[in-house]
Every structure is written in structure tokens, then in C-alpha cells.
Amino acid sequence: MTTSERAELAVTLFTTMARARALEDALAVHIRDHGFAGYWHPGKGQEAAAAGASAALRTDDYLFYQGRGATWPLAKGMGLAPIIGDLLGRSTGSTGGKGAGVPHWADPALGIMGEGASLGSVYHIAAGAALSAKLRGTDQVALADFGDGTSARGTFHETLLQASAWRLPLVYFCENNGISVSTRFEDVSPTKTIAERAAAYGVPGEVVDGHDALAVYDAVGNAVERARAGQGPSLIEATVTRVGGHWEGDAQQYRPADFLASYRDPLDVLRSRVDGAVADRILEEARDEVAAALRDAEAAPYPDPSVILKDVFA
């Protein structure tokens, strides 16, 4: 990648992260003023991980994410209208508003296959997609995004073993924010990192600074290239910071007062590589775009009850 291409990538990533941050800020105000039909799990502080990882994928690559913020669908190409539509339970959402409260954004045409209905369920579904690509002879790659908490589930270990044995084109991507709901990672893990667990299955594991979108892009890009070449799965662990609580309104009584003392805002980290005037314009445009999209979503109709069984399959 040339210097100019690298600079262009930085602008693209910064734009994605600015839109995600603007949406986070707007939703916090909306929930405070109007309430919310469910739980919103804020992703502020983790934008660089999702933005950098998604940018390393092609449109036809499969993305299976776990819900925290909206950076994943934004970075994979979904517009604000279907994202906010689902958040507010409107018919304009990507699921027609059926996934309101805890949204399950999906658009197979963009490779966005949705999030698992239960935490830790993306592993085997993503492995199935990777197996499908391998059997069909394509060079598509599947990415399974997960948090540190579900790395203790059997599905993580079972699919990592099978994916390695079958050399599946699968990238395991962990957003380790150091706390699973209210339990600290160091209190429940015998290992210092999650990436080191991959070695037991013959899979390369790497830890990357999840506050640096370009560093994440590089690490995931290498893993994707390896998967496309038929060399099997990789595990990338991005160390990130969950600025907010587990859900919007979480009192966070389990956290020490100084837990953000060493926090590095991922937008500030990347802004140092983007022209200041350009960055200011991007931030302003993102706020305006989100405000307009939120107004449109609030005016959109709710799903008609007649479609309750549409898209439901046995």
C-alpha cells in the first residue's frame, strides 16, 4: 500500500468511526429523553476495532458480529436509515423493525449476516459459512467477532479445533475490553491473553492495540490473506476500552473511579494521521447526518402486524 493509499484509508476509517461516535452520542440523548424498547449496549471506545477489521474484508466476505455499538454494520456498508430504523423498531430497519431493542442488523448482500441471538453463538455459524466457502471453492472469508467473556464457552474451543483441522477460511476476532458485563477478565482467566489460547489448536494468535484502527486493519488483513490462501484460521485479539456500561444506564458500581485514567480515544489516535480541517469537517458532517437520520426514523411507521410471520422459517 502506497503512502497516499494509506492516507486515504485513514480518512475512510476516521469517517466510519466519526459516524459511529455521532450515533452513540445521539442515542444516549434519545434514550434519556424518550426511553428505549430494550437494552442498548454502547460501543463508545471500541470503534477502531470494528472499523479496522471490517475494512480488511471484501463485500462478499461474511461478517458475524456480537452487538456493541453500530460500527460493524456501518463499516461493512450499511446505511444509517436501516440501522436506526431497527434501533427504533421502525419498518425502515434492516429487519423491518423486528429486531428492535437489541437490534440484529443483517444484509446478506453486504456480507452482514447478523449477530448471534445468544452470546457465543457466532462461532459455529461463522465456521459453517467458512466451510460453505471452502466446499464451493470460493476465496470468501468469514469473520467471527466476539468479546472476552464468551471465549470461555465451549463453542469457542470446539469450533477453533474443527476450523484448524479443516483449515477453514475463518478469522476469530476478539474485542477484549477486559470486563464481561461486570466480571474482570483477570479474575476468571488463567491466561494473560485470549490470543495465546489459539496455539493449543495449531492456530496463530496475535494481540493488537484495538485503539489504533490502522493497526487492527493490518493485523486482520494479514489473517484474511492467510485464510484466502487456504492456510486456515487465525485469532486476532484487539485490546479495547468499554467506556460506558454494559448497557445504557448501567450504574457501573463494579468499576473503580479511575478506570479511564489510561484511556486513549480511538478517534484521537487516528485523527493524528488525518488533516485537521478534514477531520473537523468529517465530524461535523457525521453529526448532521445522524441527526437527520434519527428524525427520519422517528417519523417512519412501525411494522404492520400483518408481517409478523414474514421471513420466519422452520
Side-chain angles (χ1 to χ4, degrees):
M1 183 179 290
T2 65
T3 301
S4 61
E5 289 172 334
R6 189 78 168 175
E8 183 177 343
L9 173 62
V11 171
T12 298
L13 293 173
F14 188 81
T15 301
T16 296
M17 293 160 58
R19 296 172 79 211
R21 179 65 61 83
L23 180 55
E24 288 277 353
D25 292 342
L27 276 176
V29 174
H30 180 88
I31 293 171
R32 182 195 66 200
D33 293 345
H34 304 288
F36 198 66
Y39 289 100
W40 169 244
H41 299 98
K44 188 173 183 178
Q46 298 187 198
E47 297 94 345
S54 289
L57 300 174
R58 292 192 321 225
T59 300
D60 65 336
D61 287 330
Y62 299 111
L63 170 63
F64 297 85
Y65 64 92
Q66 290 293 180
R68 183 161 295 285
T71 311
W72 284 106
L74 276 172
K76 200 68 164 64
M78 186 176 284
L80 281 170
I83 288 175
I84 299 179
D86 273 339
L87 282 167
L88 302 189
R90 301 310 205 270
S91 59
T92 51
S94 74
T95 65
K98 294 180 180 179
V102 182
H104 292 247
W105 299 293
D107 187 341
L110 295 172
I112 303 172
M113 309 310 291
E115 69 171 285
S118 63
L119 294 177
S121 62
V122 297
Y123 302 117
H124 44 292
I125 307 174
L131 176 60
S132 168
K134 185 178 180 73
L135 293 176
R136 288 182 290 111
T138 74
D139 66 347
Q140 291 166 285
V141 171
L143 184 143
D145 165 61
F146 61 100
D148 50 284
T150 65
S151 66
R153 292 195 60 171
T155 48
F156 169 79
H157 298 276
E158 291 159 5
T159 58
L160 193 57
L161 170 65
Q162 202 64 61
S164 179
W166 289 353
R167 301 176 74 84
L168 297 183
L170 179 58
V171 176
Y172 288 78
F173 184 76
C174 176
E175 295 180 79
N176 188 349
N177 57 35
I179 187 164
S180 174
V181 184
S182 59
T183 304
R184 295 186 306 171
F185 176 70
E186 60 263 33
D187 291 339
V188 294
S189 176
T191 61
K192 296 296 184 183
T193 69
I194 292 169
E196 65 191 88
R197 301 176 189 173
Y201 303 102
V203 173
E206 177 183 355
V207 179
V208 65
D209 180 5
H211 304 89
D212 186 336
L214 287 171
V216 173
Y217 171 84
D218 290 338
V220 175
N222 290 335
V224 167
E225 184 178 345
R226 183 174 180 274
R228 288 203 208 285
Q231 297 175 19
S234 303
L235 194 160
I236 307 298
E237 177 183 354
T239 55
V240 295
T241 303
R242 194 185 84 196
V243 173
H246 184 58
W247 66 88
E248 192 68 44
D250 180 4
Q252 303 184 68
Q253 294 176 339
Y254 49 84
R255 306 186 93 160
D258 62 347
F259 79 96
L260 289 178
S262 60
Y263 169 60
R264 297 160 56 236
D265 189 321
L267 269 76
D268 291 341
V269 172
L270 190 57
R271 184 179 178 129
S272 64
R273 303 170 195 176
V274 177
D275 178 80
V278 172
D280 289 340
R281 175 179 55 79
I282 290 172
L283 290 168
E284 182 178 0
E285 290 178 351
R287 288 189 290 267
D288 291 344
E289 182 188 12
V290 166
L294 191 55
R295 287 194 299 270
D296 289 345
E298 289 174 325
Y302 290 100
D304 190 280
S306 65
V307 303
I308 188 65
L309 295 179
K310 184 181 179 183
D311 304 320
V312 178
F313 302 91

